Amino acid sequence: MIFGFWIEELRQLDGGWCATPDFLAARRQAQATLAGYAFPDVFRRFDNFSAFLAVPAEGSRPAVLQEQD
């Protein structure tokens, strides 16, 4: 589970900090939320990331998302 921690949290482990079950549950929930994003192969700096949430199927997502001006 070391890959689920930020660097600052790993440093705190040396000081005796222990991750509580509530902390780990919140982290898993955050990771599950982020896993719901289906980013295309290419996206631009100012693209709206909410458009990538819950894209239906792998084959139907756009290669590049561009907002219309």
Side-chain angles (χ1 to χ4, degrees):
M1 176 66 186
I2 194 168
F3 299 108
F5 290 105
W6 294 99
I7 293 173
E8 295 81 22
E9 294 164 348
L10 292 172
R11 286 185 185 133
Q12 290 176 358
L13 289 172
D14 288 335
W17 175 75
C18 291
T20 64
D22 292 336
F23 172 84
L24 294 175
R27 181 57 54 89
R28 285 188 188 105
Q29 178 61 39
Q31 289 172 340
T33 300
L34 292 174
Y37 284 88
F39 290 107
D41 296 331
V42 177
F43 58 90
R44 291 183 167 69
R45 181 177 179 184
F46 296 109
D47 283 346
N48 180 4
F49 292 137
S50 65
F52 299 115
L53 188 58
V55 173
E58 177 71 24
S60 65
R61 65 183 182 162
V64 177
L65 176 72
Q66 293 180 342
E67 293 184 12
Q68 301 297 323
D69 293 339

